[in-house]
Amino acid sequence: MAESTTNRTATAGRLLRKAAGTVATGVVGVAVVRAAERGEGGSLPRRIAVTATRLGILGTRRAETAVERARLAAGDVRAQAYADLGEQAPPPADRSTGGHDHSH
């Protein structure tokens, strides 16, 4: 019984630490955004916010490019596996519908 309580306490402690880290990150983010809103175009907090946003956009683009390359490479491997079996690879699924038939 003591082990069960200890495990729950440890789990709760980890959860609280993660929550505290998330809250701290949010508070810092809000502070930077508010400082950027108050500042003029060339203020340091605003320049930091713009630079961080620009780097985030560039990072996202690079990640999207890497994911697309990996997807294409996986498709090539799949097609080669079908070819080795003497079969034709089926066409990729149509993902334009969003994968479900209800509206949001």
Side-chain angles (χ1 to χ4, degrees):
M1 184 73 176
E3 272 186 46
S4 176
T5 305
T6 303
N7 286 339
R8 278 186 269 169
T9 303
T11 301
R14 282 192 298 270
L15 182 62
L16 286 174
R17 281 191 298 276
K18 286 183 180 182
T22 302
V23 169
T25 301
V27 168
V28 170
V30 168
V32 168
V33 169
R34 287 195 177 154
E37 288 172 347
R38 278 193 315 266
E40 54 214 47
S43 71
L44 181 60
R46 183 171 180 87
R47 287 194 315 248
I48 291 171
V50 169
T51 300
T53 303
R54 180 175 47 86
L55 292 174
I57 291 168
L58 291 174
T60 300
R61 287 179 183 168
R62 287 184 182 140
E64 288 171 346
T65 300
V67 167
E68 183 64 14
R69 282 189 192 136
R71 188 188 68 77
L72 291 172
D76 289 345
V77 168
R78 184 172 178 258
Q80 182 64 46
Y82 272 105
D84 289 351
L85 292 171
E87 301 174 12
Q88 184 175 357
D94 180 19
R95 296 176 189 252
S96 62
T97 61
H100 56 274
D101 56 356
H102 67 272
S103 63
H104 288 248

